[in-house]
Amino acid sequence: MSDTAGKPITCKAMVARAAKSPLVEETITVAPPKAGEVRVKVMANALCHTDIYTLDGLDPEGLFPSILGHEAGCIVESVGEGVTSVAVGDHVIPAYTPQCCQPSCIFCQSPKTNLCPAIRSTQGQGVMPDGTTRFTDKDGKEIFHFMGCSTMSEYTVLAEISCAKINKDAPLEKMCLFGCGISTGLGAVWNTCQVEVNSSVAVFGLGAVGLAVIQGAKAAGASKIIGVDVNSGKFDLAKQLGATDFVNPKEVEGPVQKYIAGTMTKWGVDYTFDCTGNTEVMRSALECAHRGWGVSCVIGVAASGHEISTRPFQLVTGRVWKGTAFGGFKSRRDIPMLVDKCMSGELPVDHFITHNFEGVGKTNEAIDALHSGKCLRAVVKHF
């Protein structure tokens, strides 16, 4: 056990006090883990657009004050009663989509989904499974958790079922990427849509998730991969990762779906992926899916209250509209597999990390970098 096991820890954290406001660097107290919980030292945190989505007040479950962050690499500092799957010193990736692995959980036992609901209700309420928080500020007031992770802190507490144990030799400042966006993009291709060899693919939005989709489609053997983005500056990296064609919707006449399914192809492409969260783009992606069998996958998270629409005829004529959460990966089983693929050289991720910062207090600078439009992933090393 660590010297701090069973004791509160005082550390630095970035606290989201209100929507649309900069994070505040504060000294907080992190309580010891309770039964079924794990306290971890957060070594590195990568900034994801979902964090900004919540900070901007677009998340219907967004709570303040809270500690955001969910894409991180951590070392187990102490464990609560009954924890057996990880031990002090283990390296873990926090998983916002947990995996309880219980025989009674029809979701964990089904090969069709990764959506384990074991702690979903409390996670959405910003608390741990027992309904309480492990964070307090200098005045002793409670701070909410975020996505069951809260990794914009030097220490945080996770449910055991949210800890994916990985190879200790893997660099946490890189493996943190597998906590959300990169895994989601790869899994959308490999698990949700199961893209086949020689398929044609269109990817809308060439941020980190979209580029991961391209990387996954290339690995799956897709022969035509169309990158779609209003920023043509993103096309070079997309080409390096496997994209074969590009479309800037601002540079074509009429709806982009008619250009892809009409000019570039006769009937559309086999698989399309929305990585933008824009509901109009989701429609475009569906409507350029191939007549008769095209599949369109929604990855991007839309703002609260937004709805998708299309003519029913699009579905009657054989298109399928799907969605994915964490790429369909079962977190505790599959994150270690992704890490091993990366360590073997089969799944490189260095190209996603465009910005690096030192110290949790630099998180606001990482957010500024993400807003610059030139950032895929900004990684903040805490130690």
Side-chain angles (χ1 to χ4, degrees):
M1 299 292 285
S2 68
D3 293 338
T4 50
K7 303 175 183 177
I9 287 179
T10 300
C11 69
K12 293 180 181 179
M14 301 302 291
V15 181
R17 285 286 171 185
K20 302 182 184 300
S21 298
L23 303 176
V24 181
E25 183 178 355
E26 299 184 19
T27 298
I28 66 164
T29 298
V30 183
K34 294 186 179 181
E37 297 176 358
V38 178
R39 187 164 61 187
V40 298
K41 184 176 184 178
V42 182
M43 302 304 293
N45 182 76
L47 196 64
C48 175
H49 280 282
T50 306
D51 300 314
I52 308 307
Y53 168 82
T54 299
L55 187 59
D56 285 346
L58 301 174
D59 183 355
E61 290 188 345
L63 299 168
F64 301 94
S66 65
I67 297 173
L68 304 176
H70 64 286
E71 203 172 273
C74 310
I75 299 176
V76 175
E77 175 272 335
S78 58
V79 299
E81 181 184 352
V83 171
T84 59
S85 63
V86 295
V88 173
D90 282 344
H91 290 198
V92 299
I93 302 296
Y96 71 91
T97 300
Q99 185 184 2
C100 76
C101 301
Q102 293 299 311
S104 59
C105 179
I106 60 174
F107 294 87
C108 282
Q109 297 306 316
S110 172
K112 297 179 180 180
T113 185
N114 62 338
L115 295 178
C116 172
I119 58 174
R120 179 66 185 87
S121 60
T122 51
Q123 191 168 301
Q125 295 165 22
V127 292
M128 294 300 290
D130 72 344
T132 63
T133 177
R134 302 292 168 268
F135 303 128
T136 50
D137 65 15
K138 62 181 178 58
D139 298 319
K141 295 183 179 179
E142 294 182 341
I143 302 172
F144 288 112
H145 294 251
F146 175 71
M147 294 178 71
C149 297
S150 291
T151 52
M152 290 182 183
S153 172
E154 292 178 332
Y155 288 84
T156 189
V157 178
L158 312 167
E160 178 185 11
I161 64 173
S162 298
C163 294
K165 180 180 174 180
I166 67 167
N167 185 338
K168 284 187 179 181
D169 292 332
L172 291 172
E173 69 274 13
K174 295 180 182 180
M175 298 309 109
C176 61
L177 300 187
F178 289 118
C180 183
I182 308 311
S183 300
T184 300
L186 295 171
V189 176
W190 297 343
N191 302 326
T192 307
C193 292
Q194 299 180 10
V195 171
E196 307 98 342
V197 173
N198 290 327
S199 297
S200 55
V201 171
V203 184
F204 289 74
L206 301 181
V209 175
L211 292 173
V213 170
I214 289 175
Q215 190 171 351
K218 174 69 173 179
S223 57
K224 188 179 187 67
I225 304 173
I226 305 170
V228 185
D229 202 290
V230 295
N231 182 354
S232 298
K234 296 181 178 181
F235 293 164
D236 285 343
L237 181 54
K239 183 176 182 179
Q240 294 174 35
L241 293 176
T244 59
D245 300 89
F246 305 96
V247 179
N248 185 331
K250 292 182 177 180
E251 299 175 357
V252 301
E253 291 186 11
V256 67
Q257 57 265 46
K258 290 189 176 180
Y259 180 77
I260 293 175
T263 301
M264 296 187 76
T265 69
K266 183 175 182 180
W267 298 108
V269 294
D270 300 319
Y271 298 95
T272 68
F273 299 86
D274 166 70
C275 308
T276 69
N278 182 306
T279 54
E280 288 301 314
V281 176
M282 292 175 192
R283 178 172 186 165
S284 297
L286 173 77
E287 294 181 359
C288 68
H290 202 290
R291 177 185 176 93
W293 63 73
V295 176
S296 186
C297 183
V298 174
I299 304 176
V301 178
S304 177
H306 287 210
E307 298 180 348
I308 55 176
S309 63
T310 191
R311 293 185 302 131
F313 185 73
Q314 294 287 336
L315 303 179
V316 170
T317 49
R319 297 168 189 83
V320 175
W321 222 341
K322 306 183 76 169
T324 191
F326 196 54
F329 284 121
K330 291 184 183 289
S331 56
R332 291 203 286 170
R333 181 194 70 187
D334 293 333
I335 290 177
M337 173 271 295
L338 294 171
V339 168
D340 289 345
K341 282 181 178 289
C342 184
M343 291 292 285
S344 71
E346 184 181 347
L347 184 57
V349 298
D350 289 27
H351 49 273
F352 291 109
I353 302 174
T354 54
H355 295 72
N356 286 282
F357 298 90
E358 299 282 344
V360 68
K362 296 290 187 178
T363 303
N364 279 324
E365 292 183 31
I367 292 174
D368 291 340
L370 193 65
H371 283 309
S372 72
K374 299 178 180 179
C375 176
L376 293 176
R377 275 296 184 269
V379 174
V380 181
K381 298 177 185 177
H382 292 183
F383 295 95

